[in-house]
Amino acid sequence: MVGESRAMSGRSGAEDGPEHRPRGRGGSVTTPRNRRGRSGTAMRRARLARSRELPAAPQGTAERDGTSLRDRKLWIGAFVTVVTGLAALLVQGGWDWLREEMSDPPELTAYAADVNGCTPKYFNARLDELRAHPETVDRSGVWIPTADLWPSVNVTVQAKTSQAIVLTGAKVSVLSARPLPARGSVVDAECGGGMDERAFDVDLRTDPVSVRPSVVRTGQGAVIKGRAFPFKVSSGDPEQFVFNVKNVARDVRFAITFSWVSDGQPGSTRLDNGGRGFHVMGLPKNLPRYSRVDVFKGK
């Protein structure tokens, strides 16, 4: 029995040897590892075959996609440009409105130089003193109106904003009035003058002081009367006024006050030459009177 078992065991081992294992193509021995390798290769070949069988994308698809993308970009750019422009306009308009709302109420800006003209001037000095310093003839002195010539105050008026302001009138107030001097000298001026269309005659002998539009006679005998108040001014449309001081009986300093209305609110602007007042006087009696030639003769 023991011998038969060994014999059977020997046959079984012989049958399981290499000579009894299945062989593949080319006489290769088929093992579990070889079977797995061939199976993986077959799967890769099948996937490659399926990929080759997939239909290719149409040639115009990519081009249509690119064109559509460009069109969308153009529309988006145009939309952004329009929106940006509208926003800029709204912001600018809103800023202008806000600035107008937050700014101070409309006010009048007025500037006036000192009295000027081509009339005689009074100096509290003798002729020899004037000859020692002739430059004082042009830099100082008190203007004196005559029957044909009169000193004037030039005033420029305008609003601080574009909102119009209506000037309703102008008033001249006397700050001081003293008797005419009893000593000194009077020197005549040598210049020519003109008249502004916004000219007014000031009579300092009346109380209250009279301020009326100037009247001019032309060479042909026609009479031209200046325009009276009101006037309209704004920041871009100023007005120039000339106040001609024609009648003075004393040594006077005066101020000019404009009355105006803006947006239904009344106001006033006063000009007083820096607090000094505008200084004029009547012609003093019994004082010596000289020409500019007399003053500069000693130089």
Side-chain angles (χ1 to χ4, degrees), residues 98 262 288:
L98 183 62
S262 177

Side-chain angles (χ1 to χ4, degrees), residues 74-92:
L74 290 175
W75 278 106
I76 291 174
F79 176 76
V80 170
T81 301
V82 172
V83 171
T84 303
L86 291 175
L89 291 175
L90 290 175
V91 169
Q92 180 64 32

Side-chain angles (χ1 to χ4, degrees), residues 181-294:
R183 65 174 302 272
S185 302
V186 176
V187 178
D188 291 330
E190 295 179 0
C191 61
M195 174 182 167
D196 193 274
E197 62 175 352
R198 310 305 190 197
F200 292 84
D201 294 341
V202 179
D203 190 343
L204 292 175
R205 296 179 303 182
T206 61
D207 187 16
V209 178
S210 172
V211 180
R212 296 180 180 179
S214 296
V215 177
V216 178
R217 293 185 180 274
T218 65
Q220 290 75 26
V223 177
I224 300 176
K225 183 178 180 180
R227 176 183 165 185
F229 285 93
F231 296 92
K232 184 172 67 175
V233 297
S234 65
S235 59
D237 186 19
E239 283 283 3
Q240 176 108 14
F241 297 91
V242 177
F243 294 89
N244 299 313
V245 184
K246 290 190 172 182
N247 297 309
V248 187
R250 309 184 73 185
D251 183 352
V252 178
R253 294 180 183 270
F254 65 93
I256 302 173
T257 302
F258 284 93
S259 56
W260 48 268
V261 175
S262 177
D263 199 20
Q265 299 296 323
S268 62
T269 300
R270 177 186 171 96
L271 299 170
D272 58 8
N273 197 23
R276 301 182 301 273
F278 301 103
H279 194 186
V280 295
M281 69 166 59
L283 180 63
K285 297 180 180 180
N286 303 322
L287 291 184
R289 187 167 177 173
Y290 307 100
S291 67
R292 289 176 59 89
V293 176
D294 294 331

Side-chain angles (χ1 to χ4, degrees), residues 114-138:
D114 203 350
V115 182
N116 199 358
C118 294
T119 66
K121 296 169 74 174
Y122 164 79
F123 297 91
N124 186 18
R126 300 186 307 271
L127 179 59
D128 57 341
E129 294 174 333
L130 292 175
R131 286 177 173 175
H133 303 282
E135 67 277 1
T136 59
V137 174
D138 296 324

Side-chain angles (χ1 to χ4, degrees), residues 45-102:
R45 289 175 178 174
R47 286 196 296 270
L48 180 60
R50 284 197 299 273
S51 65
R52 291 175 178 176
E53 292 175 0
L54 290 175
Q59 183 177 3
T61 301
E63 295 178 357
R64 287 196 299 271
D65 291 343
T67 303
S68 177
L69 181 60
R70 286 194 298 270
D71 291 343
R72 285 197 297 271
K73 289 182 178 180
L74 290 175
W75 278 106
I76 291 174
F79 176 76
V80 170
T81 301
V82 172
V83 171
T84 303
L86 291 175
L89 291 175
L90 290 175
V91 169
Q92 180 64 32
W95 172 248
D96 292 341
W97 172 83
L98 183 62
R99 183 173 55 188
E100 290 289 339
E101 290 295 322
M102 295 181 63

